[in-house]
Each structure stands twice: as C-alpha cells, then as structure tokens.
Amino acid sequence: MSETNHLPPEWLRRVSTLPPSESNSVNPVLLRRAPSGVAAREAAVLVLFGGSPEADPIAVGGLPEDADLLLLQRASTLRQHGGQIAFPGGASDPGDDGPVGTALREAEEETGLDPAGVRTLAVLPGIFVPPSGFDVTPVIGYWDRPSPVRAVDLAETERVARVPMRTLLDPDNRFQVRHRLGYQGPAFLVDGMLVWGFTAGVLAGLIAISGWEIEWDRSDIRDLEVALAEVDAGIVEVHER
C-alpha cells in the first residue's frame, strides 16, 4: 500500500495508511494475483469517500453522519460485468499518470465529477480480476470539493449514487453470497443495489481496518443468483441508520 502526500481527515486515517484486511477469512478478493505467465491488463478504480472532514466524536471510528461512498451501476448490456455495482474506473491509457491518473480520468468520464475536487490518499496493491483479465489498482480518495455526478454515458453506466456509509455498515445490510461455481464472499445491500465481487471485497477489506465496523452475521450466506433476482424484482429491504 503506497501513500500520497495528501493528509486524510482523521476518520479516514486508518483506511489511508493500513492495508485492507481479509475480514476474518470471508474475503477471497484481496489476495488475488495474476497467475504466473498471464499478462494482465492494467486498470484502476477510484474508491471515493465523501462527507464532513471532521470526525464525529460519538460515532464508531469517528465516522461522520454524512459520510458516503461513490458507486455506479454498469449498463446491463455490457458484455463483461453487465449490471454490476462498481467503483468508477477502467483500463489504463498510455497517457495516464499511473493508477491515480487512470482512476481520476475514468471517474470523470463515467460520472462527470471534477477531479480537481478529489484528494488522493493512498494506492492499494493491484488485484487480479479473472473474468476480465485486468490487474486493478484501487486508489483511495477523499472528496474535498464534491461536484455533481450523473451517468454520463448510458451505454456504459446505468446509475451513479453517493451511498451512505452508515447504511453500508448496518449489519442488517451485510451478508455473504455464494455462487454455484464456487465463489463465496462478502456482500452489501444498499439503496436497491447488491454490492458483491471485487467491489464488495475491497470495501469489506477497508471497513475491516477502518474502526467503523459493526459486527455482522458472517454465517448469513445467500445464493448469489437468488439475491440478484430479488434485487431485480424489488423485493429486498434495505435498512437505514
């Protein structure tokens, strides 16, 4: 994990300086590396936190009441990762200034945010994503000066949302999902969206070392296809805190 020269708000200090955790061995995402001999393509995502710079002295881990995270839903028509909830990001371009440049450029292209308002805090080790063959580098950021966001290209992105962290952290909105092909990992249910896979793995790993985590039921394991179908049918309940 490499740090930038930008100091984080106190409530983001642990997330910006400590490596993500495996979260009690229910998170298979963080240790994924490209197999020997595989030439992975480079990519980066922006893990962008917003909210008051001041910590809440009475909240767990100092998390401000208005703390949030920027997420998007990929278009369901995409060949890879269609319909999935993700951090803004994508493949590296030759002109990018490393992973930070890629993450900020892609976030601007997908959500319309102004990169000048983002304070980059840390760069995590790359994580291999087998279905796409990308080695994805998460870039941690804080939204100093938030700007309006939207789905810029509906052929690529269906929805952009600033998701409340306290809703993500609610134990009633956390569980594991299992796929019939063998995958099992953490998941979050928020604002009618099921967050799983790479995005949930990175998020769970950061939450595990953040100081914000509230104990949740790791024995609650749900079939992934059933959970996705319930979200699509609008029959899930999201708990707000």
Side-chain angles (χ1 to χ4, degrees), residues 208-219:
I209 50 87
S210 66
W212 318 324
E213 188 160 37
I214 303 168
E215 189 59 32
W216 55 284
D217 184 5
R218 291 166 175 80
S219 68

Side-chain angles (χ1 to χ4, degrees), residues 68-201:
D68 61 25
L69 178 72
L70 184 65
L71 293 174
L72 56 81
Q73 182 172 11
R74 305 220 174 271
S76 57
T77 53
L78 292 177
R79 188 174 53 138
Q80 290 182 332
H81 310 300
Q84 286 192 14
I85 311 305
F87 303 115
S92 300
D93 279 354
D96 289 340
D97 183 16
V100 172
T102 298
L104 291 175
R105 174 185 55 76
E106 285 282 342
E108 181 178 17
E109 292 176 359
E110 292 179 325
T111 74
L113 66 74
D114 181 0
V118 176
R119 188 192 322 179
T120 54
L121 303 177
V123 178
L124 304 182
I127 298 171
F128 183 63
V129 181
S132 61
F134 279 109
D135 192 59
V136 183
T137 299
V139 175
I140 311 298
Y142 172 66
W143 221 346
D144 268 320
R145 300 185 303 280
S147 50
V149 289
R150 69 192 191 284
V152 173
D153 182 354
L154 293 177
E156 297 285 339
T157 305
E158 290 184 4
R159 178 184 181 190
V160 175
R162 296 183 63 172
V163 176
M165 285 302 303
R166 293 194 178 186
T167 303
L168 282 165
L169 292 163
D170 189 327
D172 288 332
N173 296 331
R174 299 193 65 180
F175 47 92
Q176 292 192 71
V177 290
R178 177 185 291 153
H179 191 272
R180 55 186 172 80
L181 297 180
Y183 171 83
Q184 181 174 317
F188 301 80
L189 184 63
V190 58
D191 198 14
M193 300 182 292
L194 180 67
V195 186
W196 67 282
F198 171 88
T199 304

Side-chain angles (χ1 to χ4, degrees), residues 32-67:
R32 283 182 181 161
R33 300 294 180 264
S36 178
V38 172
R41 296 178 291 170
E42 297 297 321
V45 295
L46 181 63
V47 185
L48 183 58
F49 295 96
S52 171
E54 303 300 326
D56 183 339
I58 64 172
V60 175
L63 187 74
E65 185 174 0
D66 63 349

